[in-house]
Amino acid sequence: MKRALNIQLFNSMGRKKEPLQLRVAGQVGIYVCGVTVYDYCHIGHARVMVVFDTIVRYLRACGLKVTYVRNFTDIDDKIIQRANALHIPFQQLTETFIEAFQVDMQALGVARADREPKATDHLAEMQQMIDNLIRKGLAYPGGGDIFYAVDRFQSYGQLSGKNLAELQSGSRVDVDTHKQNPLDFVLWKKAKPDEPHWPSPWGEGRPGWHIECSAMSCKYLGESFDIHGGGMDLLFPHHENEIAQTEGSSGQPWVRYWLHNGFVNVLTDSGEREKMSKSLGNFFTIRDLLAHYPGEVLRLFILNSHYRSPLDFSSELLDAARHGMDRLYSALAGAKKRLQELPVAAAAPLDDTDWGHWAEEMERFLVAMDDDFNTPQAIAVLFEMAKQINRLVATETASVQEISQGVQLLRQLAALLGLLTTDPDHYFHQLTSTGLGDADIDALIQQRLAARLARNFQEADRIRQQLLEAGIVLQDAKEGTTWRRS
Ligand SMILES: [Zn+2]
C-alpha cells in the first residue's frame, strides 16, 4: 500500500496519542506478553491475541517489515501445582496447553508470531541479565532468592504514573522478610522440594516470572525496540518490573511505545458488569465459545470494541456479532450470484488500484485504522460497503465493474482485520454443518486429552459425546486415543 505512514497510537508511557516513529525506517519490532500454559485460554486471552494480531496485520499492510515476538510462560507456580496434582511432569502439561493454544488461535484466525519463545528455553539469558543486575547493585540475595531493589532504579513507577511512595502505600504488606522493600520482586527463586529446578550461580532454583520477558525480548528484538503490548492487567507490576530489569541491565532506553488492551466484563442478565472469574461461574473458554460460534464471529465481536475500551461480553452481544457476520457474507453471496461467479481476488495486499466509486470508503477505513487502530470505526465502513453492494446488486442498471470492485475492496479491507477470509458458501455451510472432517476429529481428541489433564472430566465426556453423536467412536489405549467411524 503506497501511502505515507501516518499512524497515531496511544502510548501508555505518558498516556497520550503519539505518531508512530520507528527506530529504523520501514521496520518494527513488537513484543507481546503471551499466556501461562496450564489451562485453556479464555475470552480475555482471545482478546489480547486478536488485538495484537490485527495491529501486526495492519502494520504489515502499511508496508512495514514486522518482527513479532510472543512468549509462552511455561514455568510458574500454577503450572507446578497443576502438574504435581496430576502426578505428571510439568512439561507434559505445558506441551498439551501450548498445542491447545495453537488450535484455538487458528480458529480465531490469529497467525503464528515470528518467534514464540518459551521461558524454560532461555534460562541462560535470564541468568545473564540477573548477573548484570547484581553487578550493577540493582539486585541482592536474600534467603537463597535473588531480589530486584526497586528503589535503586530511578524511574521506577514511570509507566504506571506513580512514584515509589504512592506505590508502597497501595501495596499489600509483604510477609517476605528477606526483602529490603515490600515492592522488591524476585528474580530467581531457590529450589523447593517437589519443584522443577535448574542450576545457577546462586544455587539450584527457577526464575521469577518477570525476568523472562526482559531476557527473551532483548534476545530476539535487541536491547531497544519499538512496541511492547499486553493486557491492561499487566501494566503494574509486570511491565513496570520488566522496564526496571531491562533498562537497569542494559543502561539504555528499551521500548518506545507501550500498548495495553482493556479488560473483558461479563454482562449479567440484569445488565450489570462483573469481572470474569471461575468462582463466579461466568468463565468462558475459547473452545466453549467455538462450540457455538465460528471463530470469525468471535473475532468480529472482539474487534467491534476499541482495543483500549472495556469489552462487554454476553451471549446477546455474541449473537449480534453473528448476525453482523451473516450480513457481510450475505452481501458477498448476493454479489457472487449477480456476477455469476466472477473470480474475486481475496486478501491480496492493497495496492494503487483505482477504486473508482469506492475510493472514499477505502480512505475512511484507513483513517480509522491510523487513528490508534480504531477497529469499530473501520468495521462500520465494512457494513456500509455491504449495504451499498446489496443496493447495487438489486439495481438492474448497476455496472458489473462497480459491484466487483466493491466486493474486492470489501474483502481486502476485511482481511486486514482477519475477517471475510472464507467463501460465503463455506461460511453458511459451517453454521449448519454437523459433519466432522479428520482434522476436526483430531482437534477434538486433542481437546479431550487437554480436558482430562485439566481434570475437567465433564468437558472430556462432553467431547466424547459430541463425537459419538457425529458417528465417531473413540478407543483409549496406553499408546493414545484412536477413532473410527461407526
Ligand atoms: Zn511480559
Side-chain angles (χ1 to χ4, degrees):
M1 179 165 46
K2 279 185 196 143
R3 199 165 163 271
L5 191 64
N6 193 24
I7 296 173
Q8 299 271 327
L9 33 69
F10 185 90
N11 193 350
S12 301
M13 182 70 87
R15 281 165 294 284
K16 61 174 194 298
K17 262 190 218 173
E18 293 175 27
L20 176 62
Q21 283 167 342
L22 301 168
R23 294 177 58 256
V24 179
Q27 291 183 27
V28 189
I30 172 165
Y31 183 90
V32 171
C33 295
V35 291
T36 303
V37 278
Y38 73 104
D39 208 337
Y40 298 110
C41 289
H42 54 66
I43 182 75
H45 300 120
R47 186 177 199 194
V48 61
M49 294 305 151
V50 166
V51 159
F52 285 100
D53 177 75
T54 304
I55 289 173
V56 167
R57 277 170 196 260
Y58 190 66
L59 295 174
R60 290 200 168 121
C62 291
L64 301 173
K65 187 178 179 302
V66 182
T67 307
Y68 181 25
V69 182
R70 185 178 66 205
N71 69 308
F72 287 114
T73 298
D74 66 341
I75 185 71
D76 94 323
D77 291 344
K78 290 187 207 107
I79 291 171
I80 295 168
Q81 280 165 19
R82 179 70 58 87
N84 284 350
L86 292 166
H87 305 290
I88 58 172
F90 80 94
Q91 294 92 336
Q92 191 183 336
L93 185 76
T94 56
E95 276 163 25
T96 301
F97 286 109
I98 286 174
E99 184 73 27
F101 171 88
Q102 301 292 16
V103 171
D104 288 349
M105 290 309 121
Q106 206 180 354
L108 293 174
V110 171
R112 294 288 289 254
D114 299 294
R115 297 278 188 170
E116 300 185 341
K118 294 192 283 185
T120 57
D121 290 338
H122 296 80
L123 291 154
E125 289 83 352
M126 291 187 230
Q127 290 183 4
Q128 179 65 55
M129 194 173 267
I130 296 170
D131 188 54
N132 278 348
L133 293 170
I134 294 172
R135 281 191 291 109
K136 292 193 170 189
L138 290 164
Y140 61 92
D145 299 337
I146 306 290
F147 295 101
Y148 191 102
V150 296
D151 51 11
R152 283 182 233 158
F153 182 70
Q154 227 169 15
S155 53
Y156 194 82
Q158 203 185 358
L159 180 64
S160 42
K162 291 184 169 144
N163 63 38
L164 218 50
E166 285 173 298
L167 289 169
Q168 256 156 11
S169 70
S171 73
R172 278 181 288 177
V173 179
D174 204 306
V175 290
D176 194 331
T177 50
H178 299 294
K179 286 186 185 178
Q180 295 171 358
N181 179 315
L183 287 176
D184 288 354
F185 57 92
V186 71
L187 297 166
W188 187 261
K189 293 183 186 186
K190 184 181 148 179
K192 286 188 200 142
D194 298 326
E195 285 193 357
H197 49 83
W198 290 266
S200 84
W202 321 287
E204 290 286 320
R206 63 183 170 99
W209 170 40
H210 310 295
I211 192 73
E212 68 180 81
C213 291
S214 292
M216 297 192 291
S217 63
C218 287
K219 173 165 182 181
Y220 295 109
L221 296 170
E223 285 183 335
S224 297
F225 59 90
D226 306 281
I227 299 175
H228 191 315
M232 196 72 87
D233 51 328
L234 298 183
L235 193 146
F236 185 84
H238 182 55
H239 289 160
E240 198 79 71
N241 291 352
E242 284 187 16
I243 294 170
Q245 292 166 156
T246 319
E247 297 194 353
S249 168
S250 75
Q252 299 194 40
W254 181 37
V255 167
R256 285 204 170 189
Y257 304 95
W258 283 90
L259 268 53
H260 290 97
N261 66 274
F263 291 107
V264 176
N265 296 315
V266 178
L267 281 191
T268 64
D269 291 340
S270 54
E272 280 164 54
R273 290 187 172 87
E274 55 186 28
K275 235 189 122 171
M276 192 175 65
S277 84
K278 276 189 178 158
S279 56
L280 286 172
N282 62 6
F283 190 83
F284 299 93
T285 65
I286 297 172
R287 50 198 56 193
D288 289 338
L289 300 171
L290 286 173
H292 303 285
Y293 301 94
E296 231 183 333
V297 169
L298 299 183
R299 199 168 167 117
L300 177 65
F301 166 72
I302 288 167
L303 294 177
N304 222 355
S305 293
H306 188 260
Y307 76 91
R308 287 194 289 117
S309 311
L311 175 64
D312 286 335
F313 176 91
S314 71
S315 53
E316 286 75 20
L317 292 169
L318 271 177
D319 287 340
R322 152 77 207 282
H323 290 134
M325 204 73 236
D326 291 357
R327 285 215 306 281
L328 294 176
Y329 272 113
S330 294
L332 290 185
K336 189 177 168 186
K337 207 169 153 211
R338 171 79 192 263
L339 298 172
Q340 293 168 330
E341 313 283 332
L342 191 86
V344 168
L350 289 177
D351 54 24
D352 293 338
T353 307
D354 174 12
W355 292 105
H357 169 85
W358 300 97
E360 193 198 316
E361 277 72 19
M362 175 159 110
E363 187 57 23
R364 275 170 46 222
F365 181 97
L366 298 176
V367 165
M369 289 300 284
D370 279 346
D371 181 15
D372 197 25
F373 313 106
N374 194 330
T375 54
Q377 268 184 31
I379 288 169
V381 175
L382 303 184
F383 281 111
E384 283 166 37
M385 289 182 71
K387 217 189 255 178
Q388 285 188 52
I389 289 169
N390 289 339
R391 202 178 302 137
L392 288 169
V393 165
T395 309
E396 257 341 285
T397 52
S399 82
V400 165
Q401 197 204 6
E402 203 176 3
I403 298 173
S404 77
Q405 270 192 337
V407 168
Q408 281 194 44
L409 186 65
L410 175 60
R411 294 204 83 145
Q412 291 193 20
L413 295 178
L416 296 183
L417 306 177
L419 300 173
L420 294 182
T421 53
T422 188
D423 183 82
D425 295 339
H426 179 258
Y427 172 78
F428 289 111
H429 178 72
Q430 200 186 350
L431 291 179
T432 54
S433 157
T434 50
L436 294 172
D438 287 6
D440 301 320
I441 295 166
D442 289 339
L444 281 166
I445 289 174
Q446 190 62 39
Q447 287 173 28
R448 177 168 165 264
L449 174 68
R452 292 167 80 185
L453 285 174
R455 296 184 134 177
N456 186 348
F457 298 113
Q458 208 181 338
E459 168 70 1
D461 286 343
R462 188 197 64 73
I463 294 169
R464 176 186 273 275
Q465 192 57 36
Q466 182 189 345
L467 285 163
L468 201 61
E469 280 163 19
I472 309 300
V473 182
L474 300 185
Q475 185 82 47
D476 290 319
K478 253 190 209 144
E479 302 74 39
T481 302
T482 53
W483 60 268
R484 61 182 170 80
R485 293 185 194 271
S486 64

